[in-house]
Structures are given as C-alpha cells and as structure tokens.
C-alpha cells in the first residue's frame, strides 16, 4: 500500500510517497514559489536523484497536478499508476479543540478546518487549498488530516488556560494548543521501541529543536505540557522567533518603534530569536561558526538557547515527577552534538550522564547515555511524514 503525504505552505508544497510495507519514501519533493515568479518543482527519486522542473505554478491545484505527473513519470517517477496511491495524508497545522486525533476528511471536517482559520491565518488556508486540490485531482481517494495540535489535546485545563479572563477562552479560543505534535508523538513512540519498554510506563521529555523549536512533557504516550502556546511563537527562543517574553515588552516596542499590529507580529516571528540576538543568522550552523571565531553575540545566542532548553527540561521533570528519557530531535537536536552536550551538562541530579563519544552521532537513532545513566538521552531523527502516513494508513484501513 502506498500513501501520498502532502504538506502545504502558502507558497510551497512538500510531498512524499511512502510504501507502507517498507515504511520508506519511494519518491519525494518540493514545489516552491507557488503563485510567484520562478516557481519550481524539485523531485527526488528513491535513490536521491534530483529532477528540477521549472514552469509557471500559479496555484496549489497546478502544483498537485505537476506532483502527480512527476510521481508517474516513466523516466524518474515513483509509481507506475496513480491507482497505486490508496490514501493521501495532509499535514494540517491547527485543529483547534475539535481534533484530538487524525481524521478522514469529509464535508464536516472541511467546515471545521475553515473554522480554525482564525487561529492559524497563515497556515490553515494553504493546508485547505492542498486538500481541495487533491480532492479535485484524485477524486475518490480517501484523504486524512493530521494535525500539529492534536497530540497536545491531552493537556489538562490547569496547563492550557492562561491567566486571562476566562471569557476570552470561551469567546476567542485563547488557550495553549501546542504544536509539532506529530513530531513529538513520533519520537516518543520510537523512544519506547529503542528502550524496549512500553510507552505507557515512560516519562519522556521530547526536545524538538529545529528552526522552530518546542519541548513536550509526555507521560504514558500522552502530552501533558508543551512549550509552544496559543501560537508557535511561545516557549523557547528560536531561529527567528522571540519565544516567551514579558508581555509588556510587546506594547512597549510597538510604542517606541511605532509599529502596528501586523508589523509587530512580523517582527516577533521573523526578526527576533537567535537571528536578532546574534545579528548574524537564524541558522545555528552559522552561529556556531561565528561563536567559535569569538563573536560574543553569537556565543550569547547559543547560551540563551541552551539555558532555555535546560529550563524547560527542569520544569518538565518537575511536572512529570521524574524523567526516564530526554529525546533530541529536528535540525539542531539531531545534529548539534556540542549543543546537546551543553544542555545535558550538570544534569546528574536527573540521572543524566551522556557519553561524549556516542554523542558525536548525527541524524541516527542512538542512546547517547553512559551505561549506568538512570535517565536515557536519545537522539531520534524525526519523521513527521512517516507519522502522517501511519495515521492515514490506520484510518483508511478501518
Ligand atoms: P529544521 O527546522 O528541523 O529543519 O532544523 C533546521 C535548523 O537545524 C537549521 O536552521 C540549523 O540551524 C540547524 N542545523 C542543521 N544542521 C546542523 C548542525 N550540523 N549543527 C547545528 N545546527 C544544525
């Protein structure tokens, strides 16, 4: 059985075809600059061979059409016939409070997704456009929505309600939702496999440290707290996002810099974080190089990030009442061994003790702890696409 996984952004579309027998991607790619000049589809075969198609791509329907053509291309395609695709799984950023699990898409679900646009005005509209395009191009093929927020719906009200008038939760849906749920769910499930223990018995802190970054406290396979909030701006300082701030700073900067609401929103999402502190880049690789060359602000950005992560680990160990495993995943978590080492320094109080040699690993599933360590530290490459395919497969097989 083959599943097509679609992840639509406002001007981009990532896709993968996953063979559910082997759980491997047999073709994948990226459509970039949809609706803009210079649009391009970059398709990769199973062996990683690259094919670039430069053509006008005015909307998501045309993008999907080109993806489907690429997938059945006799020259470099992944499959012989589109009939081989049994289901389509869509990444949907926001499911609000309506979705605690993935769902088969029908008219009622489409309406609910539209209702969530207010909560994710940048993300849900392109997700919906991708679904509509697939419905048009692949009629009759079951489609599934997999939400970034769903995994965190298990949080309790004392975790997700903010210190605001309660009516704002009722009236506007203002609460903590949490994001990166598909990734946190996937790596926590893998951790149980790696540790050969039932997920139900584990207390896990999952650190998804990429350009966007969030941490989750997971007990018995369920999210009980997470660092992102009402939006993906909260929590850790990130590549370009501020992370948590004293809320008074927001109005103070708006007044001082004469910024309107949209400008302030853009500022907090794109000009802050590691980029804003270092003044160099949002990419941790560039920042690490600059810090090694003695750049003080680059060093400061790394130190802030490390401190933020350590702070959440401490907080979530308290929330969980102990921790069996800390997982590092996503770009920084999977690759930056020096950052992992810095974060795990002086954490013996939690039973953390990492092996420097094992910790040199990159993008591989490895337990990097010393044999005696009570709390295991795991590097687990995330695979949101596979998680989406697994959910899709499960739902359409029922
Ligand atoms: P992601 O959002 O998961 O794709 O992660 C992207 C980020 O991971 C990049 O912006 C880099 O900052 C970071 N990254 C990737 N590789 C490395 C590496 N070898 N060392 C440090 N950071 C890395």
């Amino acid at each position: 059985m083959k599943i097509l996984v679609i992840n639509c952004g406002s001007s981009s579309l990532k896709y993968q075809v996953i063979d559910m027998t082997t759980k491997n991607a047999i073709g994948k790619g990226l459509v970039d600059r949809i609706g803009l000049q210079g649009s391009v589809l970059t398709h990769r075969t199973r062996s990683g061979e690259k094919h670039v198609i430069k053509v006008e791509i005015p909307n998501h329907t045309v993008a999907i059409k080109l993806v489907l053509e690429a997938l059945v291309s006799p020259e470099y395609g992944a499959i012989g016939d589109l009939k081989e695709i049994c289901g389509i799984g869509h990444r949907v950023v926001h499911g609000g409070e309506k979705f605690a699990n993935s769902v088969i898409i029908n008219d009622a679900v489409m309406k609910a997704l539209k209702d969530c646009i207010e909560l994710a005005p940048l993300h849900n509209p392109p997700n919906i456009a991708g679904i509509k395009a697939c419905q048009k191009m692949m009629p009759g093929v079951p489609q599934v929505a997999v939400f970034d927020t769903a995994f965190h719906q298990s949080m309790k009200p004392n975790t997700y309600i903010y210190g605001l008038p309660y009516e704002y939760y009722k009236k506007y849906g203002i609460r903590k939702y949490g994001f990166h749920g598909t990734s946190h769910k996937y790596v926590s499930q893998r951790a149980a496999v790696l540790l050969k223990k039932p997920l139900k018995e584990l207390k896990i802190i999952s650190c998804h440290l990429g350009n966007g970054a969030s941490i989750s406290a997971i007990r018995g396979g369920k999210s009980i707290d997470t660092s992102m909030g009402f939006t993906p701006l909260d929590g850790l300082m990130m590549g370009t996002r501020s992370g948590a701030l004293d809320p008074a700073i927001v109005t103070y900067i708006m007044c001082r810099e004469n910024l309107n609401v949209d400008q302030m929103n853009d500022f907090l999402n794109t000009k802050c974080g590691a980029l804003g502190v270092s003044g160099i880049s949002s990419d941790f690789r560039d920042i690490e190089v600059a810090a090694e060359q003695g750049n003080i602000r680059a060093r400061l950005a790394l130190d802030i990030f490390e401190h933020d992560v350590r702070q959440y680990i401490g907080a979530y160990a308290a929330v969980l009442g102990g921790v069996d495993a800390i997982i590092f995943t996503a770009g920084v978590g999977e690759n930056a061994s020096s950052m992992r080492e810095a974060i795990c320094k002086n954490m013996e109080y939690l039973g953390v003790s990492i092996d420097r040699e094992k910790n040199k690993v990159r993008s591989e599933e490895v337990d990097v702890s010393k044999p005696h360590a009570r709390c295991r530290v795991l590097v687990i490459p995330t695979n949101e696409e596979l998680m989406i395919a697994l959910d899709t497969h499960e739902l359409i097989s029922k």
Side-chain angles (χ1 to χ4, degrees):
M1 187 185 269
K2 285 158 194 131
I3 304 282
L4 172 61
V5 176
I6 299 282
N7 179 355
C8 273
S10 55
S11 64
S12 70
L13 185 162
K14 286 189 213 150
Y15 64 93
Q16 280 195 13
V17 175
I18 297 184
D19 183 335
M20 297 314 290
T21 318
T22 60
K23 311 277 189 294
N24 287 330
I26 55 171
K28 60 179 163 185
L30 167 71
V31 187
D32 217 357
R33 301 186 60 81
I34 297 169
L36 303 169
Q37 268 194 345
S39 38
V40 57
L41 185 156
T42 309
H43 178 80
R44 283 182 193 275
T45 63
R46 189 191 307 233
S47 55
E49 211 177 285
K50 197 164 110 176
H51 293 267
V52 178
I53 299 151
K54 289 186 179 161
V55 57
E56 198 187 338
I57 308 175
N59 54 48
H60 287 84
T61 308
V62 175
I64 293 284
K65 182 170 175 282
L66 288 168
V67 167
L68 298 178
E69 280 171 11
L71 289 177
V72 294
S73 157
E75 196 193 330
Y76 50 79
I79 48 177
D81 195 305
L82 287 178
K83 287 195 187 105
E84 291 176 45
I85 293 176
C86 303
I88 305 175
H90 293 267
R91 176 190 180 212
V92 178
V93 169
H94 220 306
E97 289 190 316
K98 291 198 177 87
F99 301 104
N101 289 297
S102 305
V103 282
I104 294 202
I105 299 169
N106 56 26
D107 290 347
V109 170
M110 282 305 271
K111 184 184 172 309
L113 295 186
K114 284 178 195 151
D115 292 344
C116 290
I117 287 179
E118 267 192 6
L119 296 171
L122 297 179
H123 293 103
N124 273 30
N127 297 159
I128 292 169
I131 295 168
K132 282 189 175 159
C134 286
Q135 285 172 333
K136 194 165 161 193
M137 306 302 301
M138 300 274 283
V141 178
Q143 304 202 41
V144 169
V146 180
F147 304 92
D148 272 22
T149 48
F151 182 58
H152 302 298
Q153 279 296 303
S154 45
M155 289 186 295
K156 297 257 163 58
N158 65 350
T159 308
Y160 68 72
I161 295 289
Y162 291 114
L164 296 169
Y166 193 78
E167 308 86 86
Y168 288 17
Y169 162 57
K170 288 285 168 204
K171 225 164 51 175
Y172 304 125
I174 298 176
R175 52 158 285 176
K176 180 187 277 201
Y177 290 99
F179 298 86
H180 290 145
T182 311
S183 173
H184 291 299
K185 184 175 168 188
Y186 174 77
V187 295
S188 57
Q189 289 183 354
R190 288 302 308 161
V193 174
L194 217 64
L195 296 173
K196 299 190 177 68
K197 286 197 176 144
L199 186 55
K200 277 201 164 348
E201 289 173 13
L202 291 173
K203 294 172 185 170
I204 293 174
I205 298 176
S206 155
C207 307
H208 178 112
L209 312 179
N211 212 357
S214 73
I215 302 194
S216 269
I218 301 165
R219 186 193 288 134
K222 298 210 180 310
S223 171
I224 61 165
D225 202 351
T226 193
S227 59
M228 283 179 170
F230 178 57
T231 73
L233 187 56
D234 198 5
L236 304 163
M237 182 191 82
M238 302 174 224
T240 60
R241 290 174 236 172
S242 64
L245 295 171
D246 175 346
I249 295 171
V250 177
T251 42
Y252 188 81
I253 293 180
M254 287 175 83
C255 289
R256 285 294 176 127
E257 293 282 319
N258 207 12
L259 300 180
N260 65 29
V261 173
D262 287 342
Q263 289 167 327
M264 189 62 194
N265 212 6
D266 183 59
F267 170 77
L268 289 169
N269 277 289
T270 64
K271 312 248 172 6
C272 295
L275 170 68
V277 174
S278 70
I280 289 172
S281 168
S282 63
D283 192 307
F284 280 76
R285 285 164 290 200
D286 301 339
I287 301 172
E288 275 184 357
V289 171
E292 275 160 25
Q293 290 166 351
N295 186 302
I296 290 170
R297 278 172 53 187
R299 182 74 261 157
L300 178 61
L302 295 176
D303 289 349
I304 295 172
F305 188 71
E306 175 205 317
H307 175 81
D308 279 7
V309 175
R310 287 170 63 79
Q311 206 172 26
Y312 271 104
I313 290 175
Y316 287 169
V319 165
L320 288 164
V323 50
D324 299 307
I326 297 172
I327 306 171
F328 287 101
T329 192
V332 180
E334 290 167 26
N335 296 294
S337 50
S338 54
M339 180 56 77
R340 288 195 300 260
E341 191 177 326
I343 291 167
C344 293
K345 193 176 59 204
N346 298 330
M347 257 190 208
E348 286 78 15
Y349 77 102
L350 283 179
V352 169
S353 179
I354 63 170
D355 179 319
R356 293 186 77 177
E357 273 309 303
K358 286 189 198 156
N359 186 45
K360 286 182 180 157
V361 68
R362 279 181 179 213
S363 291
E364 253 181 87
E365 273 189 8
V366 179
D367 180 339
V368 299
S369 320
K370 287 189 179 151
H372 67 271
R374 199 171 70 244
C375 171
R376 311 308 297 177
V377 175
L378 310 173
V379 177
I380 302 182
T382 194
N383 193 341
E384 287 160 290
E385 290 78 13
L386 177 57
M387 191 78 244
I388 293 170
L390 288 168
D391 273 11
T392 304
H393 182 237
E394 191 187 326
L395 280 169
I396 65 174
S397 305
K398 271 182 187 165

